[in-house]
Amino acid sequence: MVIGLIVLVVLIVAITVGITRTWNKGMNSRQAGAEAQRARNGGKIVLEWTGPKAQGAADQEFGELLVEIPKKSGAVGVQFYREGFVVNGKRTSYENLKDVVFIPGNPGAVSITPKQRMRNSAVLWLYRKKGSTIGIRDLSYRFDYDTMEAIQTGLGFRPIAS
């Protein structure tokens, strides 16, 4: 009984270490991309945007409005400016991000329960250095996959091909 418990604990620790190493490897790769993007822009992280620009006024602190992701309810959504973003009234500079990850979800899966809908939804995770992580989900916002990938890439948080 005790040996079985010890084996189970060792197995759980080994799996946790493996998952953590895999995540950190991906994060380090995305960080390298962000540092290269920062070097191209004079030491600042800015959103490099090549697509059509959103209509709207520039922000005094963050500069030109580049992308706007509206809420499905019609309310003001997320605004991505050249040097920062605003979501639900929270203003965050890109300098305060440590990682950006887009997970496309599983749009073709049948989702009956709210838990299944949440698990199958697409989300753009914005990991801040301080404060809570911000998730922009397709359940609440009208976005497309190309735009979310372009935001992740435009901020430099993209794995570098080896």
Side-chain angles (χ1 to χ4, degrees), residues 7-74:
V7 169
L8 180 64
V9 169
V10 169
L11 183 63
I12 290 171
V13 169
I15 290 171
T16 304
V17 167
I19 290 170
T20 303
R21 282 186 181 162
T22 302
W23 173 259
N24 287 340
K25 182 179 178 183
M27 186 174 76
N28 291 340
S29 178
R30 288 186 300 276
Q31 286 291 330
E35 290 303 318
Q37 195 259 23
R38 183 186 300 244
R40 285 192 307 272
N41 291 291
K44 293 178 86 174
I45 293 181
V46 299
L47 178 57
E48 295 175 337
W49 189 254
T50 58
K53 294 183 178 156
Q55 300 294 317
D59 183 81
Q60 191 172 16
E61 179 184 3
F62 295 147
E64 180 182 14
L65 177 63
L66 299 176
V67 183
E68 188 166 16
I69 311 296
K71 281 195 167 188
K72 287 185 176 179
S73 65

Side-chain angles (χ1 to χ4, degrees), residues 48-132:
E48 295 175 337
W49 189 254
T50 58
K53 294 183 178 156
Q55 300 294 317
D59 183 81
Q60 191 172 16
E61 179 184 3
F62 295 147
E64 180 182 14
L65 177 63
L66 299 176
V67 183
E68 188 166 16
I69 311 296
K71 281 195 167 188
K72 287 185 176 179
S73 65
V76 175
V78 184
Q79 292 109 4
F80 288 93
Y81 295 91
R82 180 165 166 71
E83 296 181 16
F85 65 96
V86 179
V87 58
N88 297 331
K90 295 178 186 175
R91 301 171 59 79
T92 303
S93 167
Y94 298 134
E95 296 295 326
N96 293 324
L97 293 177
K98 65 180 178 182
D99 202 359
V100 177
V101 179
F102 174 63
I103 300 172
N106 191 359
V110 175
S111 302
I112 298 170
T113 67
K115 184 178 180 180
Q116 289 171 330
R117 278 193 292 274
M118 185 69 77
R119 187 175 42 228
N120 293 331
S121 69
V123 63
L124 178 69
W125 292 110
L126 302 161
Y127 293 94
R128 300 188 296 178
K129 291 177 183 174
K130 292 183 180 180
S132 60

Side-chain angles (χ1 to χ4, degrees), residues 135-154:
I136 302 171
R137 288 192 177 274
D138 67 351
L139 296 173
S140 301
Y141 295 92
R142 283 186 267 147
F143 66 76
D144 61 78
Y145 300 111
D146 293 336
T147 300
M148 294 297 113
E149 287 176 349
I151 290 171
Q152 180 183 10
T153 302

